């Protein structure tokens, strides 16, 4: 599937600004099934300096500064991305059970597992706790295959929580989302990550876009006209696999990964 993505960000200040420094993570990643064939940022007014780097997590980061008075500036990211399906038909009832995956994360010392191990730890927006463990528990009975457990958790988040773009902000605590059962895509991703980490599993946050044109006869996916978020879980021997709780689906070729 081939996509052209245009993402425009506008900053309007109440007074003139003499100087601004910026980091933008708007350039799609290169992954096993995603190829970024072209990507550029157009900045108005033009920046005084501009550079690109890769951060610790492998995200593409653009740094730029504007050193002239301005009351407004616009950043437009334009990307051409090719996506291929990463996984074929998967039998969720097969595969390693989640408890053995948890054990392997602590015992294996290959580079891929060691890298995944950091995603078991708490992060600024997601700290595992007893409430998250309690919510996660019905999806993780003894001996259940990991894929089946995560798929069940995704479906429960989708069914139990209401998509409400007016309830949360970037600063809303995860505890409030869990209590009121409301939020948006980033909240549902954080919630699922917290549940997985509470079980000792490696899970990480993914941000990007969803294709805006639905298949014939299908409705648009939630989040298709703005930045979107979902989560990814580490599966030994398979690697990272994405799950979208907002839409209750496993991303195949409609989700474009930025970070």
């Amino acid at each position: 599937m081939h996509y052209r993505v245009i993402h425009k960000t506008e900053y309007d200040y109440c007074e003139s600004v003499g100087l601004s420094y910026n980091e933008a993570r708007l350039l799609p990643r290169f992954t096993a099934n995603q190829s970024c064939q072209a990507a550029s940022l157009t900045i108005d007014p033009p920046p005084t300096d501009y550079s690109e780097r890769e951060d610790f997590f492998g995200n593409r980061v653009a740094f730029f500064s504007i050193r002239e008075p301005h009351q407004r500036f616009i950043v437009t990211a334009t990307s051409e991305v090719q996506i291929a399906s990463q996984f074929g038909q998967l039998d969720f009832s097969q595969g390693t059970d989640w408890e053995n995956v948890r054990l392997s994360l602590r015992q294996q010392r290959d580079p891929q597992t060691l890298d995944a191990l950091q995603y078991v730890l708490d992060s600024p927006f997601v700290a595992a706790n007893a409430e998250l463990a309690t919510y996660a528990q019905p999806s993780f009975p003894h001996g259940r295959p990991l894929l089946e457990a995560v798929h069940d958790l995704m479906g429960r988040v989708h069914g139990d929580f209401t998509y409400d773009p007016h309830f949360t902000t970037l600063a809303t605590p995860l505890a409030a989302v869990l209590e009121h059962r409301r939020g948006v895509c980033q909240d549902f991703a954080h919630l699922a990550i917290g549940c997985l980490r509470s079980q000792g599993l490696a899970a990480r946050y993914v941000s990007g876009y969803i294709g805006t044109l639905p298949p014939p006869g299908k409705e648009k996916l939630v989040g298709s006209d703005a930045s979107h978020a979902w989560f990814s879980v580490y599966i030994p021997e398979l690697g990272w696999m994405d799950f979208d709780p907002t839409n209750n689906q496993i991303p195949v070729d409609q989700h474009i990964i930025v970070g």
Side-chain angles (χ1 to χ4, degrees), residues 2 6 17 46 50 55 72 82 93 96 112 120 131 147 171 183 208 211-212 220 226 232 237 242-243:
H2 186 85
I6 300 175
V17 175
Y50 179 93
D55 70 12
R72 183 172 186 254
Q82 187 77 30
S93 65
T96 308
Q112 191 173 25
V120 178
E131 288 77 14
L147 276 176
T212 55
K220 274 189 176 184
S232 189
E237 299 180 2
D242 292 0
F243 293 80

Side-chain angles (χ1 to χ4, degrees), residues 128-221:
N129 56 44
E131 288 77 14
L132 291 170
T134 298
Y135 181 80
Q137 194 277 325
S139 296
F140 292 88
H142 173 67
R144 193 176 201 179
L146 174 64
L147 276 176
E148 187 176 82
V150 179
H151 192 266
D152 183 74
L153 175 66
M154 175 180 69
R156 288 177 53 226
V157 172
H158 178 77
D160 291 346
F161 289 76
T162 300
Y163 186 88
D164 184 350
H166 306 293
F167 178 72
T168 60
T169 69
L170 286 172
T172 302
L174 191 51
V177 176
L178 188 58
E179 178 185 358
H180 296 281
R181 302 293 172 101
R182 312 184 77 81
V184 293
C185 57
Q186 68 186 17
D187 303 306
F188 304 154
H190 284 148
L191 174 70
I193 292 167
C195 288
L196 290 162
R197 290 178 180 173
S198 74
Q199 303 303 306
L201 299 167
R204 66 186 185 184
Y205 184 91
V206 186
S207 63
Y209 312 105
I210 305 179
T212 55
L213 296 178
K218 301 290 186 179
E219 294 184 358
K220 274 189 176 184
L221 295 175

Side-chain angles (χ1 to χ4, degrees), residues 76-99:
T76 304
T78 305
S79 307
E80 302 279 345
V81 181
Q82 187 77 30
I83 299 178
S85 300
Q86 186 173 8
F87 300 105
Q89 291 292 327
L90 293 172
D91 185 350
F92 294 139
S93 65
Q94 301 298 315
T96 308
D97 68 76
W98 70 272
E99 290 152 308

Side-chain angles (χ1 to χ4, degrees), residues 112-128:
Q112 191 173 25
T113 303
L114 287 174
D115 179 72
L117 191 59
Q118 65 184 310
Y119 298 100
V120 178
L121 306 175
D122 291 345
S123 52
F125 285 99
V126 183

